[in-house]
């Protein structure tokens, strides 16, 4: 994969270089063609050639002799040049501002050399014609210089083609070297990213570190974050799958036992020699087991709806002091709590929560009944209300550190609950109810030192009445 990416990268670089070279050559030839075709039109009127060609307007013929006007002399002075007028034989017949040592006669070969080359005084010469006369215009220390080139068309084309091929090859070699250099910086991280994505596809969520991340450092950081998130989701999924299997196993077990009792006692009811008293006892057992099964299925349905956030809440503003006090009174009136001591105290008489009273009542009663059921008969339970929330505390057996970590898991039973009747969903349901209200449950306990449960609500739900 790495070499495949490198090859693609190099191919792209080479294509770009070829395009750039081709475009540059087009631009170069276009400029040269435009210069050749329109160069004369774009020359400034102050150039030597243009000034020389236009200088004839300052000249006239008087009595057969050429005359240079005062305007022409002033133009020469401004331009920084001088002029000599020659007849057909090369003799100087008129001049203006010419040097004292300037020749008075020019042979044809001298005129050619003057026009083609600068003299020792760095003078550039220009030649033009007026009527039957020629005139030679010189500019000393001119910024314009004439360079004579001999142009051989076939030789130039051969040289240009070789130069183009050589330049293209050199550019391609440079592009390949640069491409190989940058490929280690670009294609290697890209290849690594592709491999990482393939690993994620194969459910390999391990976090990996790369030494040279370069400009892709945020990408690798995000890939590692995705790996960690997927790993946590995978662990959660495995945990939920295991929990689901445990739910099915526990529900099957919990339903199988009462179903076996119902079936057995139903068969006994069919016996002819069953007395009326036994028939009533059997019917009571069947009814009790049926009620247990109904409670188990109801609890299972409730915890699933709470878990999936499908349970509608019928909220209403509730003054907690009277609400919790009535719950404690109901528990005290229950025959199961005759031997335990339950107390209630409050220092937040005006505290209100916006809650579903039915569900919240069940959640709090689950915590209180749990303290009664899983402790000795003389356990002391204190329910208190503070501005922060509700606290349920007992001085019972407590919970081991291992059990605390899983105490709110569905169907989890602690080490001290082997002979306790129940569906195993009570604490999980209570926790889910409170969290559905936007609250939190905190449980602290030590084996042999009792248990403390604190119920809190967030600021939007927890409001202090005036």
């Amino acid at each position: 994969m790495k070499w495949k990416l490198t090859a693609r990268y190099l191919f792209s670089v080479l294509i770009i270089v070829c395009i750039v070279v081709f475009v540059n050559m087009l631009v170069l030839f276009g400029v040269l063609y435009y210069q050749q075709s329109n160069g004369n039109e774009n020359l400034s009127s102050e150039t030597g050639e243009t000034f020389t060609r236009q200088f004839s307007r300052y000249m006239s013929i008087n009595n057969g002799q050429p005359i240079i006007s005062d305007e022409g002399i002033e133009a020469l002075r401004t331009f920084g040049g001088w002029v000599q007028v020659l007849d057909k034989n090369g003799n100087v017949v008129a001049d203006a501002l010419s040097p004292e040592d300037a020749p008075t006669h020019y042979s044809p070969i001298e005129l050619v050399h003057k026009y083609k080359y600068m003299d020792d005084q760095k003078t550039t010469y220009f030649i033009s014609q007026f009527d039957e006369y020629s005139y030679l215009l010189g500019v000393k220390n001119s910024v314009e210089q004439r360079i004579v080139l001999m142009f051989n068309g076939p030789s130039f084309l051969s040289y240009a083609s070789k130069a183009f091929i050589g330049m293209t090859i050199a550019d391609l070699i440079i592009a390949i070297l640069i491409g190989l250099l940058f490929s280690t910086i670009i294609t290697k991280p890209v290849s690594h990213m592709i491999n990482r994505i393939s690993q994620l596809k194969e459910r390999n969520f391990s976090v990996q570190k790369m030494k040279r991340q370069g400009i892709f450092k945020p990408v690798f950081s995000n890939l590692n974050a995705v790996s960690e998130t997927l790993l946590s989701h995978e662990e959660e999924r495995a945990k939920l799958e295991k929990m689901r299997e445990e739910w099915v196993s526990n529900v099957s077990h919990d339903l199988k036992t009462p179903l076996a009792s119902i079936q057995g006692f139903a068969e006994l009811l069919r016996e002819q020699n069953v007395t009326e008293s036994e028939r009533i006892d059997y019917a009571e057992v069947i009814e009790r087991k049926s009620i247990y099964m109904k409670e188990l299925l109801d609890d299972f349905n409730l915890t699933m709806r709470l878990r999936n956030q499908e349970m509608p809440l019928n909220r209403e503003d509730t003054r907690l002091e009277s609400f919790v006090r009535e719950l404690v009174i109901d528990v005290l009136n229950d025959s199961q709590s005759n031997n335990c001591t339950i107390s209630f105290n409050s220092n937040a008489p005006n505290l209100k929560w916006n809650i579903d009273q039915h569900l919240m009542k069940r959640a709090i009663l689950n915590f209180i009944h749990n303290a009664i059921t899983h402790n000795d008969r003389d356990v002391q339970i204190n329910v208190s209300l503070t501005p922060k929330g509700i606290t349920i505390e007992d001085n019972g057996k407590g919970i081991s550190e291992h059990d605390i970590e899983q105490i709110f898991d569905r169907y989890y039973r602690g080490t001290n609950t082997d002979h306790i009747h129940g569906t195993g969903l009570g604490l999980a349901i209570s926790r889910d109810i409170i969290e559905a209200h936007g609250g939190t449950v905190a449980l602290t306990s030590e084996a042999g030192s009792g248990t403390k449960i604190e119920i809190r609500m967030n600021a939007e739900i927890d409001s202090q009445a005036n």
Side-chain angles (χ1 to χ4, degrees), residues 189-207:
V190 172
S191 175
H192 188 70
M193 283 189 288
I194 294 174
N195 292 334
R196 285 297 312 279
I197 294 173
S198 299
Q199 291 173 1
L200 293 177
K201 182 181 177 182
E202 299 298 327
R203 307 184 72 82
N204 180 3
F205 305 130
S206 60
V207 176

Side-chain angles (χ1 to χ4, degrees), residues 138-203:
V139 181
K140 190 174 183 179
N141 297 322
S142 174
V143 296
E144 296 180 278
Q145 298 181 9
R146 184 177 292 107
I147 299 176
V148 180
L149 296 176
M150 297 299 293
F151 181 78
N152 186 322
S155 176
F156 174 78
L157 291 176
S158 175
Y159 172 79
S161 61
K162 292 179 181 179
F164 176 77
I165 294 173
M167 181 174 61
T168 302
I169 294 174
D171 289 343
L172 292 178
I173 293 174
I174 294 173
I176 291 174
L177 294 176
I178 295 175
L180 289 174
L181 176 63
F182 279 93
S183 66
T184 59
I185 302 174
I186 296 178
T187 60
K188 185 176 180 181
V190 172
S191 175
H192 188 70
M193 283 189 288
I194 294 174
N195 292 334
R196 285 297 312 279
I197 294 173
S198 299
Q199 291 173 1
L200 293 177
K201 182 181 177 182
E202 299 298 327
R203 307 184 72 82

Side-chain angles (χ1 to χ4, degrees), residues 261 265 268-269 274-289:
S261 298
F265 283 105
L268 290 175
L269 286 174
V274 177
T275 64
E276 186 65 24
S277 175
E278 290 175 333
R279 193 180 302 277
I280 293 174
D281 291 339
Y282 296 161
E284 288 179 351
V285 172
I286 292 173
E287 181 183 14
R288 187 168 63 252
K289 297 298 182 180

